[in-house]
Each structure stands twice: as structure tokens, then as C-alpha cells.
Amino acid sequence: MEKIYDVVIIGGGPAGLSAALYATRAKLTTIMIEKEKTGGQITSTTEVANYPGSIENATGDSLSNRMVEQCKEFGAELQKDEVQEVKLEGEIKEVVGKQQTYKARSIIVATGASPRYLDVPGEKEFTGKGVSYCATCDADFFTGLEIFVIGGGDSAVEEALLLTKFARKVTIVHRRDEFKAAKSIQERAFKNPKIDIIWDTVIEEIKGEGLVQSIKMKNLKTDEVTEYKANEDEGTFGIFVFVGYLPETQLFNGILDMDGAHYIKTDENMNTNIPGVFAAGDCRVKTLRQVVTAVSDGAIAAIQAEKYIENTFDDQ
Ligand code: NAP
């Protein structure tokens, strides 16, 4: 007989992992589907200094590895697959992956968010050839070179600090004249002698031959356009883009209620507009997107899924 899971979790970041942990501890048959690397966005974060208790080994990777081990210990199935379609109407829901179709009594959507692009000429062409969205992954390539960091939020300023450990110099380019990042992070950046800041400025174009060689910037207050060219001896430099994230919710367009920015609407119990379908973590409408809020959402969603199954299915 075809297996019907109690819970199919779509997405393997902290929200999905926490949902898997709580669901399996509640003895629900649980599978978590992730298309890329389990652990989600935090695996590309160097420091997770604000997750309670996370003092030693507080890298994103180590934290997510420990979460994965814990889930496996309680019997969650972790499956690599890319979901292509969801059929959420009816009591038994279907998640259609590239590898196979999964059937479930309840679904937890924990698809997270992915980096937002600058959308300027040259950005796509030079991704992986000087343009990066992950400091932990790519910092090493720019050892001793110059790096530009684009953005003014927590990610940009925090990752700029990390990049100073590799780069000769780090220049943060921000479109306004003050950062959005937390004050404590800003202070560390202002004090760091390797960090320069260019305010009120956006990137207009990225150019080069094979590798990034120049960047065109425009000052929004004066309209002045300047082009920065790589130092002749070095020949290239890095551009790290941290200008926010976009929710990974395209699969649910027209199915789940969303806000104008395509984040999934839920109530405080993670219920979406469809009974038995819950959303947790960065993909849902919320005011604070952090590991600590994602794991909280995941736990609530799993416990609500348990209640929903108990109340809906006679054999439970
Ligand atoms: P964010 O808070 O949305 O900040 C994005 C930054 O990029 C803003 O400064 C924004 O400028 C700028 N920006 C947006 N679009 C741009 C464009 N097209 N061109 C140039 N600049 C652009 O994103 P984030 O820093 O990635 O953080 C995302 C979430 O994760 C936040 O909730 C953050 O608190 C959290 N986070 C927390 C930590 C931590 O606590 N340790 C670390 C990383 C991330 P404006 O300021 O002008 O809007």
C-alpha cells in the first residue's frame, strides 16, 4: 500500500528541522524534503551569536548539523528532492517531487527565502567569477584582495566584518546614509580599520573579462557616476551582495494566501488558509526572521499538525 505520512515538511532549514523534531517526538510519521543542502540559509552564515546557548561552535554549519543529527535520532526521514507541484485540497495531500510523489495528512511549508539580486548588468555573468552571495563559501578566494560588500542590513555589515579576515580592504556600499543593521554590529564595523563605507550609492554595472575587473557606482544624492577598477597587480576583486532575501513561495501562488511581497499568511498557530497546511519560518509573514523564531514556528506547526490529525482522521 502506498505510504501516507502524517507530516510532509517542505524545506530543510531551521524551521523544517525543528518541525521534524517535534513531529517525530509526537510519534507522527514524518518526512522532510529539501532540494539543496539541509540546514538552509544558516549553513552559509559564519557566526550565529544570537541563538540562545550558542556560544561554542556557534557557526551556522555546526548548529544545523546538530539539528540534523537530532532529527535523525528521533526517526525523521530526510529526503533530497525538488518539489514541483503541490495538491493541497482534500484530506490526503500530495507533494509531487522530481523523484517521487509524497502523500500526507498534513503539510508544513518551511521553504525559507533566498538571496535577492541587485539586478544590474554584469551581475549574472560574473556570479562565481567575482560576484558572490555567501561569504563563508567564497571569502577564501579573495584572500589579500579587495572586496566590495553591497547592502546595509545585518547580513551586509556582519559579513563585511568576516570578510576583513581575508581581504586586504573591505568597502561597504550602501544606498542610504545610515545602516539598517543592529547598532552593536554597526559599531564593530565603524571601529574596524579595514572597512571603508561609501554612503548613498548604488551599483550600476559590473564589468570584466573572465573575472570582475570594474564596478560602476552612482551616488544617489549627487548623481555622480564613478567607476572603480581593479588594482593592476591584483587584476580582480570581489563583490559580495547582501541586499535581503525573497520568499521561496512560488509553488504556492494562487493556493495559499500571501501578502504583497509573497510571504505566506498564517495565524499565530501557523495555520494557513487551508486546513492541515501550516507554514513556518522565513517564508511566512512575520516581523523577525531569525533562527530562534524559525525554530519556534517549526515547533508550533508540528504540534498543531498533531492536533489537526487527531481531530480530522478517525483512525488516530
Ligand atoms: P535586510 O535586513 O532586508 O537588509 C537589506 C539591505 O539591503 C538594506 O540595507 C537595504 O537598504 C539594502 N537593499 C535592498 N535592496 C537593495 C538594492 N536593490 N540595492 C542596494 N541595496 C539594497 O536583509 P539582511 O541584512 O539579509 O537580513 C535579513 C534578515 O535576517 C533580517 O531580519 C536580519 O535582522 C536577519 N539577520 C540577522 C542577523 C543577526 O542577527 N546576526 C544576521 C543576518 C541577518 P535599505 O536599508 O535602504 O532598505
Side-chain angles (χ1 to χ4, degrees):
M1 209 176 75
E2 202 174 9
K3 181 157 186 174
I4 298 175
Y5 290 92
D6 289 322
V7 192
V8 167
I9 299 165
I10 310 174
L17 286 163
S18 164
L21 176 66
Y22 275 75
T24 48
R25 281 178 60 86
K27 304 280 181 230
L28 301 177
T29 52
T30 305
I31 187 165
M32 187 185 81
I33 305 166
E34 167 60 49
K35 68 173 177 199
E36 286 162 2
K37 193 180 173 203
T38 307
Q41 272 182 64
I42 52 160
T43 56
S44 52
T45 308
T46 332
E47 222 185 290
V48 187
N50 54 5
Y51 186 69
S54 200
I55 297 172
E56 285 167 43
N57 303 322
T59 67
D61 225 14
S62 71
L63 183 60
S64 71
N65 285 341
R66 280 178 281 154
M67 289 184 190
V68 169
E69 283 317 306
Q70 204 176 0
C71 282
K72 283 187 185 160
E73 209 176 295
F74 285 102
E77 280 182 49
L78 272 46
Q79 173 78 15
K80 195 155 218 149
D81 201 351
E82 187 171 344
V83 178
Q84 313 265 286
E85 195 190 347
V86 287
K87 297 176 187 167
L88 303 180
E89 61 299 327
E91 281 190 347
I92 300 300
K93 301 166 193 323
E94 282 185 31
V95 174
V96 183
K98 262 191 185 162
Q99 320 271 352
Q100 64 180 95
T101 294
Y102 310 84
K103 292 194 172 182
R105 297 185 169 90
S106 72
I107 305 284
I108 298 177
V109 180
T111 43
S114 56
R116 185 186 280 151
Y117 301 114
L118 288 173
D119 233 356
V120 297
E123 183 181 23
K124 264 203 188 122
E125 185 186 343
F126 290 103
T127 295
K129 296 168 185 160
V131 175
S132 169
Y133 304 86
C134 174
T136 325
C137 320
D138 298 332
D140 200 28
F141 298 129
F142 301 94
T143 302
L145 298 178
E146 195 162 350
I147 288 176
F148 285 78
V149 168
I150 321 303
D154 285 336
S155 301
V157 183
E158 216 167 59
E159 298 307 307
L161 283 160
L162 164 79
L163 289 164
T164 59
K165 295 183 184 151
F166 298 83
R168 166 168 75 71
K169 178 184 167 196
V170 174
T171 304
I172 305 177
V173 182
H174 182 38
R175 64 182 179 184
R176 289 190 295 126
D177 60 4
E178 60 177 357
F179 287 136
K180 184 179 171 189
K183 291 278 179 288
S184 57
I185 302 174
Q186 294 192 30
E187 276 164 22
R188 285 167 56 210
F190 292 143
K191 273 191 212 146
N192 191 309
K194 275 190 167 181
I195 294 184
D196 265 3
I197 301 162
I198 301 180
W199 301 109
D200 302 308
T201 298
V202 290
I203 305 309
E204 289 216 314
E205 192 176 356
I206 296 163
K207 294 196 288 189
E209 272 176 38
L211 293 174
V212 167
Q213 287 170 329
S214 83
I215 185 170
K216 218 191 242 181
M217 296 178 272
K218 182 180 175 183
N219 184 301
L220 294 175
K221 286 198 173 147
T222 62
D223 278 342
E224 188 190 356
V225 176
T226 48
E227 186 167 351
Y228 178 84
K229 291 191 174 148
N231 173 310
E232 267 190 21
D233 296 335
E234 295 167 1
T236 188
F237 56 88
I239 301 174
F240 283 76
V241 180
F242 299 107
V243 294
Y245 292 86
L246 293 172
E248 291 267 8
T249 55
Q250 302 87 324
L251 271 175
F252 309 96
N253 278 342
I255 301 174
L256 297 181
D257 288 350
M258 297 182 194
D259 71 1
H262 298 283
Y263 288 95
I264 298 168
K265 289 185 183 170
T266 68
D267 66 9
E268 63 180 12
N269 284 327
M270 312 302 140
N271 288 295
T272 66
N273 55 305
I274 299 184
V277 179
F278 305 85
D282 283 7
C283 66
R284 77 175 189 97
V285 177
K286 62 198 293 192
T287 52
L288 184 63
R289 293 193 173 85
Q290 298 276 297
V291 181
V292 74
T293 61
V295 296
S296 161
D297 286 1
I300 295 170
I303 297 307
Q304 292 303 318
E306 182 191 13
K307 287 198 174 129
Y308 165 81
I309 292 168
E310 261 173 29
N311 295 334
T312 311
F313 296 90
D314 293 337
D315 57 343
Q316 295 297 303

